Each structure stands twice: as C-alpha cells, then as structure tokens.
Amino acid sequence: MGNRIAIIGAGAVGGYAGAHMVQAGEDVTFVDMWPEHVEAMRRDGLRITHIRDVPEFTVPVQALHLTELQQVSKQRPFDIAFICVKSYDTAWATTMVKQYLAPGGFCVSLQNCMNEETIAGIVGWGRTLGAIASSITVELCEPGHVRRASGKGGAAHTVFRVGEVHGRITDRAQEVGRLCALSDSCVVTANLWGERWSKLVTNAMANGLSACTGLISREILLDDTLRQFTARLGSEAIRVGQALGYSLEEVHHLDPEIIARAGEGDAEARRAYDEHRIREANKPGGGAHRPSMGQDMVKGRRTEIEFLNGFITDRAQEIGLATPANAALTEIVKRVEKGELQPDPQHIKALRLN
C-alpha cells in the first residue's frame, strides 16, 4: 500500500498540492475548518485553475470537517500529514492530527514562516520535515476552487524545496519531494533552514506591504518609495539571517547581498535592485497577484504579520540588531487589521525610513 496522506488545511497551497496528488492516484484526505469549502469539495470536487498555459481540472476528493477527523481512529492512520494552516494555527492543528499518525508517520510544514520548531515541540524533531512553496501565487478564491495567478514554474523556477531539519537527504524527504513534484518543480535540499529564512525574507518584503496599503505587487514595485521600502525590509531581514548563521538562497531571483546593500543605500546595488524589480513588475502578468496577507486583509482574516516581520524583529532583538522598518510595518499592519487604520500607502510613505 502507498502512503495515506492528510492535508490539514485545504486552503490555497494545501488544496493546490493535494489536488495534484489526488490526480496522480495518491490516497489523500483533506481536513479543513471552512464548512462551505468542505461541502463544496464533497459535492463538486476540488477545482484547480491557472491564469495561463495550464488546462483546468477538477478531482473528486475525500474531505472532512474538523469535527469529523475523529472517525480516522477506526481507519488506517496517516503516514504523512502536511500541515498547511496559518502559522497561528500550527500548534493546535499538529496536536489534532498527532494522535492519528501511524507509528512511523510524520508531519511536513507546507507553510509560510518558520513553523518546524512548533511542530517538533508536539510530535518530536524526528517526525518533522519542512516544505517551502516559493512564488506559487495561489488563492482559494471560492469554496472548492483554487486559482493560481501564473502558469507552472517548471524548469524556469523551482517552486517546492523539501528538507529534513538535520540537513541529510533521506528516503522520506525524497518521497515528500516526489509528492510535491506532482504539482510543480521540486528539489530536495540539504539547506532547509537557509531556504526557509530566504522564503521568510521574500514574504517579509511583500506581504505586509500589500496588507497595509491595499495594493497588489505591481503597484508596490512601480512606486519608487514603496519599492525602496521593500529593499529596506529585505536588507534588515537578510542581515538578521546572516547573523543567525543561515546560508541564504536567492530572494526574488536576486543575490541576497544585492538586496541587503540596496536597502542600506549602496547606489550601485540599488540600481541593480530597481532595474530587476521593475522589470519583473512589467512582465505580462507580473506582479498582478495580491500576496497572501493582502488577501487575508481583504477577506477580514487574521494576518501572519507577527510570524513574518514580527518574527524577524524578535530574532533581531535577541542578537542585538535593529530592524526599524520591519518593526514599524508590523505595528502598522496590526493597526489596520484591528480597524484602527484603513489600508493606505501613506502609512509607509509617512515613515520616511528609506
């Protein structure tokens, strides 16, 4: 028998990756907390569409409400549980599925932010892996329907990076890589922590800005002040990651040192950064996507700001580094989230932190 797989949180990323697994014949059970979404999947299947190049498809799926997971106690347990919830839901979601794991079963964090330590605190480091989805641009746009605002990454951009927390390449990491590769390009990495922090930097440069300004990526990148602020955010985050000893990978398809120096005011680095980001924004379809935190704000959902820019600021304080841009953005997003402010680019421009 093949692995029995659980997708805990069948939202944008979990739904997208899981639907491709189902399409390939894998045994997948989706568990979600949005009742209408579960009912739509049961009734109509899970629909996957792309903005270009890829035909849409719909697969019939096994979908459970949270309150129904207990029925798994009478069934074969899960071999692999992909944790695909928001970071603030990681602890309870992992605790919930732990009792339904097979003796050799394990959890995979397929999330933004750095949640492996939280998961390991519940199931143990030996039952914890990480999987990063890079520039996947997916959205759960309605119950039962995940839309990707691009085509496939393929050879041009590796979307998934899977790794063990200890950095060794194992059979189970290869198996998780195979499962992720059913939906797009994937590599099994020996540098999970460097990959994870690099993705954290990528998200920190975009998500909170979209959430507190109300703008999509292209609008942010084509505004000189906001674009420069993205470099400042990235620069602070990169310097923290380097100080923590991480070996960083590319960020927004750039050498992280270029971003770091651009944010610190180096004229040559800033020219290179500006040219690259403006070129990316002006590509057909480039930057037309609203980052996930921007989507959350539009939908009235809680954001992950404390686990992104706030997390960077917290780690920086531990080692004596200052991150004023990330700290300021964190507080602004929290105020917009609470309704004390309305989304507006002026919140960032008034900071004068560039």
Side-chain angles (χ1 to χ4, degrees), residues 33-58:
M33 60 285 289
W34 186 12
E36 291 83 359
H37 181 41
V38 173
E39 291 302 318
M41 287 191 288
R42 285 175 164 176
R43 183 182 64 248
D44 305 318
L46 183 51
R47 179 186 173 206
I48 305 295
T49 61
H50 295 73
I51 199 170
R52 64 173 187 272
D53 303 332
V54 184
E56 74 170 74
F57 68 90
T58 300

mmCIF file of all heavy atoms in Angstrom, residues 33-58:
data_model
loop_
_atom_site.group_PDB
_atom_site.id
_atom_site.type_symbol
_atom_site.label_atom_id
_atom_site.label_comp_id
_atom_site.label_asym_id
_atom_site.label_seq_id
_atom_site.Cartn_x
_atom_site.Cartn_y
_atom_site.Cartn_z
ATOM 1 N N MET A 33 -11.269 23.776 8.088
ATOM 2 C CA MET A 33 -12.117 24.422 9.091
ATOM 3 C C MET A 33 -13.191 25.325 8.491
ATOM 4 O O MET A 33 -13.966 25.936 9.224
ATOM 5 C CB MET A 33 -11.259 25.215 10.088
ATOM 6 C CG MET A 33 -10.424 26.323 9.479
ATOM 7 S SD MET A 33 -8.963 25.745 8.557
ATOM 8 C CE MET A 33 -7.912 25.184 9.873
ATOM 9 N N TRP A 34 -13.229 25.445 7.152
ATOM 10 C CA TRP A 34 -14.245 26.276 6.499
ATOM 11 C C TRP A 34 -15.361 25.348 6.009
ATOM 12 O O TRP A 34 -15.181 24.627 5.025
ATOM 13 C CB TRP A 34 -13.616 27.041 5.333
ATOM 14 C CG TRP A 34 -14.540 28.037 4.682
ATOM 15 C CD1 TRP A 34 -15.741 28.483 5.118
ATOM 16 C CD2 TRP A 34 -14.307 28.697 3.428
ATOM 17 N NE1 TRP A 34 -16.288 29.379 4.238
ATOM 18 C CE2 TRP A 34 -15.425 29.538 3.186
ATOM 19 C CE3 TRP A 34 -13.271 28.662 2.488
ATOM 20 C CZ2 TRP A 34 -15.536 30.324 2.042
ATOM 21 C CZ3 TRP A 34 -13.377 29.441 1.351
ATOM 22 C CH2 TRP A 34 -14.503 30.284 1.130
ATOM 23 N N PRO A 35 -16.502 25.326 6.684
ATOM 24 C CA PRO A 35 -17.551 24.360 6.349
ATOM 25 C C PRO A 35 -17.995 24.413 4.883
ATOM 26 O O PRO A 35 -18.184 23.366 4.244
ATOM 27 C CB PRO A 35 -18.696 24.732 7.296
ATOM 28 C CG PRO A 35 -18.018 25.377 8.452
ATOM 29 C CD PRO A 35 -16.867 26.139 7.866
ATOM 30 N N GLU A 36 -18.175 25.624 4.346
ATOM 31 C CA GLU A 36 -18.641 25.745 2.957
ATOM 32 C C GLU A 36 -17.630 25.144 1.970
ATOM 33 O O GLU A 36 -18.011 24.579 0.949
ATOM 34 C CB GLU A 36 -18.898 27.215 2.612
ATOM 35 C CG GLU A 36 -20.093 27.834 3.332
ATOM 36 C CD GLU A 36 -19.771 28.320 4.726
ATOM 37 O OE1 GLU A 36 -18.611 28.176 5.175
ATOM 38 O OE2 GLU A 36 -20.695 28.837 5.389
ATOM 39 N N HIS A 37 -16.360 25.287 2.295
ATOM 40 C CA HIS A 37 -15.311 24.739 1.435
ATOM 41 C C HIS A 37 -15.343 23.207 1.448
ATOM 42 O O HIS A 37 -15.275 22.567 0.390
ATOM 43 C CB HIS A 37 -13.951 25.256 1.912
ATOM 44 C CG HIS A 37 -12.776 24.799 1.110
ATOM 45 N ND1 HIS A 37 -12.786 24.730 -0.270
ATOM 46 C CD2 HIS A 37 -11.522 24.388 1.506
ATOM 47 C CE1 HIS A 37 -11.596 24.308 -0.694
ATOM 48 N NE2 HIS A 37 -10.834 24.088 0.359
ATOM 49 N N VAL A 38 -15.478 22.638 2.629
ATOM 50 C CA VAL A 38 -15.557 21.176 2.730
ATOM 51 C C VAL A 38 -16.770 20.646 1.972
ATOM 52 O O VAL A 38 -16.681 19.668 1.208
ATOM 53 C CB VAL A 38 -15.606 20.738 4.211
ATOM 54 C CG1 VAL A 38 -15.865 19.239 4.315
ATOM 55 C CG2 VAL A 38 -14.295 21.099 4.908
ATOM 56 N N GLU A 39 -17.923 21.297 2.153
ATOM 57 C CA GLU A 39 -19.135 20.840 1.474
ATOM 58 C C GLU A 39 -19.013 20.985 -0.045
ATOM 59 O O GLU A 39 -19.475 20.123 -0.798
ATOM 60 C CB GLU A 39 -20.344 21.611 1.991
ATOM 61 C CG GLU A 39 -20.713 21.286 3.436
ATOM 62 C CD GLU A 39 -21.012 19.804 3.627
ATOM 63 O OE1 GLU A 39 -21.686 19.204 2.757
ATOM 64 O OE2 GLU A 39 -20.545 19.244 4.639
ATOM 65 N N ALA A 40 -18.388 22.059 -0.511
ATOM 66 C CA ALA A 40 -18.200 22.248 -1.957
ATOM 67 C C ALA A 40 -17.285 21.174 -2.518
ATOM 68 O O ALA A 40 -17.530 20.635 -3.613
ATOM 69 C CB ALA A 40 -17.626 23.638 -2.231
ATOM 70 N N MET A 41 -16.208 20.836 -1.795
ATOM 71 C CA MET A 41 -15.311 19.781 -2.262
ATOM 72 C C MET A 41 -16.022 18.439 -2.328
ATOM 73 O O MET A 41 -15.834 17.668 -3.268
ATOM 74 C CB MET A 41 -14.080 19.691 -1.351
ATOM 75 C CG MET A 41 -13.091 20.828 -1.508
ATOM 76 S SD MET A 41 -11.507 20.524 -0.658
ATOM 77 C CE MET A 41 -11.991 20.688 1.060
ATOM 78 N N ARG A 42 -16.841 18.153 -1.339
ATOM 79 C CA ARG A 42 -17.587 16.895 -1.334
ATOM 80 C C ARG A 42 -18.585 16.824 -2.490
ATOM 81 O O ARG A 42 -18.753 15.783 -3.128
ATOM 82 C CB ARG A 42 -18.342 16.748 -0.013
ATOM 83 C CG ARG A 42 -17.472 16.392 1.172
ATOM 84 C CD ARG A 42 -18.297 16.405 2.435
ATOM 85 N NE ARG A 42 -17.628 15.722 3.526
ATOM 86 C CZ ARG A 42 -18.073 15.651 4.760
ATOM 87 N NH1 ARG A 42 -19.226 16.251 5.072
ATOM 88 N NH2 ARG A 42 -17.416 15.006 5.689
ATOM 89 N N ARG A 43 -19.231 17.947 -2.727
ATOM 90 C CA ARG A 43 -20.295 17.977 -3.733
ATOM 91 C C ARG A 43 -19.737 18.036 -5.153
ATOM 92 O O ARG A 43 -20.166 17.278 -6.040
ATOM 93 C CB ARG A 43 -21.196 19.185 -3.468
ATOM 94 C CG ARG A 43 -22.389 19.293 -4.422
ATOM 95 C CD ARG A 43 -23.202 20.552 -4.127
ATOM 96 N NE ARG A 43 -22.423 21.769 -4.382
ATOM 97 C CZ ARG A 43 -22.014 22.604 -3.419
ATOM 98 N NH1 ARG A 43 -22.304 22.366 -2.137
ATOM 99 N NH2 ARG A 43 -21.317 23.689 -3.724
ATOM 100 N N ASP A 44 -18.771 18.918 -5.374
ATOM 101 C CA ASP A 44 -18.319 19.205 -6.739
ATOM 102 C C ASP A 44 -16.877 18.808 -7.021
ATOM 103 O O ASP A 44 -16.407 18.935 -8.155
ATOM 104 C CB ASP A 44 -18.454 20.711 -7.027
ATOM 105 C CG ASP A 44 -19.872 21.219 -6.789
ATOM 106 O OD1 ASP A 44 -20.823 20.500 -7.181
ATOM 107 O OD2 ASP A 44 -20.033 22.308 -6.208
ATOM 108 N N GLY A 45 -16.145 18.372 -5.987
ATOM 109 C CA GLY A 45 -14.728 18.099 -6.157
ATOM 110 C C GLY A 45 -13.905 19.363 -5.935
ATOM 111 O O GLY A 45 -14.433 20.427 -5.593
ATOM 112 N N LEU A 46 -12.602 19.244 -6.104
ATOM 113 C CA LEU A 46 -11.680 20.367 -5.927
ATOM 114 C C LEU A 46 -11.198 20.811 -7.301
ATOM 115 O O LEU A 46 -10.574 20.044 -8.033
ATOM 116 C CB LEU A 46 -10.505 19.961 -5.039
ATOM 117 C CG LEU A 46 -9.478 21.028 -4.678
ATOM 118 C CD1 LEU A 46 -10.132 22.279 -4.115
ATOM 119 C CD2 LEU A 46 -8.462 20.461 -3.682
ATOM 120 N N ARG A 47 -11.491 22.059 -7.629
ATOM 121 C CA ARG A 47 -11.192 22.615 -8.946
ATOM 122 C C ARG A 47 -9.908 23.431 -8.898
ATOM 123 O O ARG A 47 -9.717 24.243 -8.001
ATOM 124 C CB ARG A 47 -12.365 23.489 -9.410
ATOM 125 C CG ARG A 47 -12.189 24.153 -10.775
ATOM 126 C CD ARG A 47 -13.354 25.095 -11.024
ATOM 127 N NE ARG A 47 -13.178 25.882 -12.238
ATOM 128 C CZ ARG A 47 -13.725 27.075 -12.446
ATOM 129 N NH1 ARG A 47 -14.476 27.621 -11.493
ATOM 130 N NH2 ARG A 47 -13.518 27.722 -13.568
ATOM 131 N N ILE A 48 -9.027 23.211 -9.888
ATOM 132 C CA ILE A 48 -7.750 23.924 -9.971
ATOM 133 C C ILE A 48 -7.684 24.652 -11.316
ATOM 134 O O ILE A 48 -7.843 24.032 -12.375
ATOM 135 C CB ILE A 48 -6.553 22.967 -9.858
ATOM 136 C CG1 ILE A 48 -6.634 22.119 -8.580
ATOM 137 C CG2 ILE A 48 -5.238 23.740 -9.933
ATOM 138 C CD1 ILE A 48 -6.531 22.903 -7.301
ATOM 139 N N THR A 49 -7.462 25.955 -11.262
ATOM 140 C CA THR A 49 -7.317 26.735 -12.492
ATOM 141 C C THR A 49 -6.039 27.564 -12.426
ATOM 142 O O THR A 49 -5.505 27.837 -11.353
ATOM 143 C CB THR A 49 -8.516 27.683 -12.713
ATOM 144 O OG1 THR A 49 -8.604 28.611 -11.610
ATOM 145 C CG2 THR A 49 -9.814 26.911 -12.831
ATOM 146 N N HIS A 50 -5.525 27.935 -13.608
ATOM 147 C CA HIS A 50 -4.332 28.767 -13.738
ATOM 148 C C HIS A 50 -4.658 29.958 -14.629
ATOM 149 O O HIS A 50 -5.540 29.883 -15.477
ATOM 150 C CB HIS A 50 -3.173 27.986 -14.362
ATOM 151 C CG HIS A 50 -2.683 26.847 -13.526
ATOM 152 N ND1 HIS A 50 -3.407 25.678 -13.378
ATOM 153 C CD2 HIS A 50 -1.540 26.683 -12.802
ATOM 154 C CE1 HIS A 50 -2.726 24.845 -12.593
ATOM 155 N NE2 HIS A 50 -1.598 25.430 -12.237
ATOM 156 N N ILE A 51 -3.902 31.027 -14.455
ATOM 157 C CA ILE A 51 -4.149 32.211 -15.272
ATOM 158 C C ILE A 51 -3.720 31.996 -16.722
ATOM 159 O O ILE A 51 -4.212 32.654 -17.628
ATOM 160 C CB ILE A 51 -3.440 33.443 -14.662
ATOM 161 C CG1 ILE A 51 -4.055 34.736 -15.212
ATOM 162 C CG2 ILE A 51 -1.949 33.411 -14.898
ATOM 163 C CD1 ILE A 51 -3.595 35.983 -14.488
ATOM 164 N N ARG A 52 -2.787 31.043 -16.943
ATOM 165 C CA ARG A 52 -2.330 30.799 -18.304
ATOM 166 C C ARG A 52 -1.677 29.418 -18.417
ATOM 167 O O ARG A 52 -1.253 28.828 -17.433
ATOM 168 C CB ARG A 52 -1.325 31.858 -18.753
ATOM 169 C CG ARG A 52 -0.029 31.889 -17.971
ATOM 170 C CD ARG A 52 0.991 32.847 -18.582
ATOM 171 N NE ARG A 52 2.279 32.742 -17.925
ATOM 172 C CZ ARG A 52 2.643 33.428 -16.845
ATOM 173 N NH1 ARG A 52 1.782 34.278 -16.300
ATOM 174 N NH2 ARG A 52 3.830 33.261 -16.303
ATOM 175 N N ASP A 53 -1.659 28.922 -19.618
ATOM 176 C CA ASP A 53 -0.844 27.779 -20.055
ATOM 177 C C ASP A 53 -1.292 26.400 -19.579
ATOM 178 O O ASP A 53 -0.902 25.400 -20.177
ATOM 179 C CB ASP A 53 0.634 27.943 -19.634
ATOM 180 C CG ASP A 53 1.264 29.220 -20.170
ATOM 181 O OD1 ASP A 53 0.810 29.689 -21.229
ATOM 182 O OD2 ASP A 53 2.186 29.743 -19.518
ATOM 183 N N VAL A 54 -2.066 26.311 -18.516
ATOM 184 C CA VAL A 54 -2.378 25.010 -17.925
ATOM 185 C C VAL A 54 -3.887 24.777 -17.953
ATOM 186 O O VAL A 54 -4.649 25.600 -17.446
ATOM 187 C CB VAL A 54 -1.886 24.938 -16.462
ATOM 188 C CG1 VAL A 54 -2.127 23.543 -15.892
ATOM 189 C CG2 VAL A 54 -0.404 25.311 -16.373
ATOM 190 N N PRO A 55 -4.337 23.662 -18.528
ATOM 191 C CA PRO A 55 -5.780 23.374 -18.539
ATOM 192 C C PRO A 55 -6.306 23.191 -17.120
ATOM 193 O O PRO A 55 -5.624 22.637 -16.253
ATOM 194 C CB PRO A 55 -5.887 22.065 -19.330
ATOM 195 C CG PRO A 55 -4.587 21.933 -20.062
ATOM 196 C CD PRO A 55 -3.567 22.625 -19.228
ATOM 197 N N GLU A 56 -7.519 23.657 -16.871
ATOM 198 C CA GLU A 56 -8.107 23.451 -15.549
ATOM 199 C C GLU A 56 -8.522 22.003 -15.385
ATOM 200 O O GLU A 56 -8.725 21.275 -16.349
ATOM 201 C CB GLU A 56 -9.292 24.379 -15.323
ATOM 202 C CG GLU A 56 -10.554 24.026 -16.075
ATOM 203 C CD GLU A 56 -11.732 24.871 -15.577
ATOM 204 O OE1 GLU A 56 -11.793 26.070 -15.897
ATOM 205 O OE2 GLU A 56 -12.591 24.307 -14.869
ATOM 206 N N PHE A 57 -8.615 21.564 -14.124
ATOM 207 C CA PHE A 57 -9.097 20.220 -13.853
ATOM 208 C C PHE A 57 -9.819 20.209 -12.517
ATOM 209 O O PHE A 57 -9.627 21.099 -11.680
ATOM 210 C CB PHE A 57 -7.958 19.192 -13.868
ATOM 211 C CG PHE A 57 -6.975 19.323 -12.728
ATOM 212 C CD1 PHE A 57 -7.163 18.637 -11.528
ATOM 213 C CD2 PHE A 57 -5.843 20.120 -12.851
ATOM 214 C CE1 PHE A 57 -6.262 18.746 -10.480
ATOM 215 C CE2 PHE A 57 -4.939 20.239 -11.809
ATOM 216 C CZ PHE A 57 -5.143 19.553 -10.619
ATOM 217 N N THR A 58 -10.656 19.209 -12.332
ATOM 218 C CA THR A 58 -11.377 19.022 -11.082
ATOM 219 C C THR A 58 -11.235 17.564 -10.669
ATOM 220 O O THR A 58 -11.378 16.659 -11.496
ATOM 221 C CB THR A 58 -12.870 19.370 -11.240
ATOM 222 O OG1 THR A 58 -12.999 20.738 -11.652
ATOM 223 C CG2 THR A 58 -13.621 19.169 -9.932
#
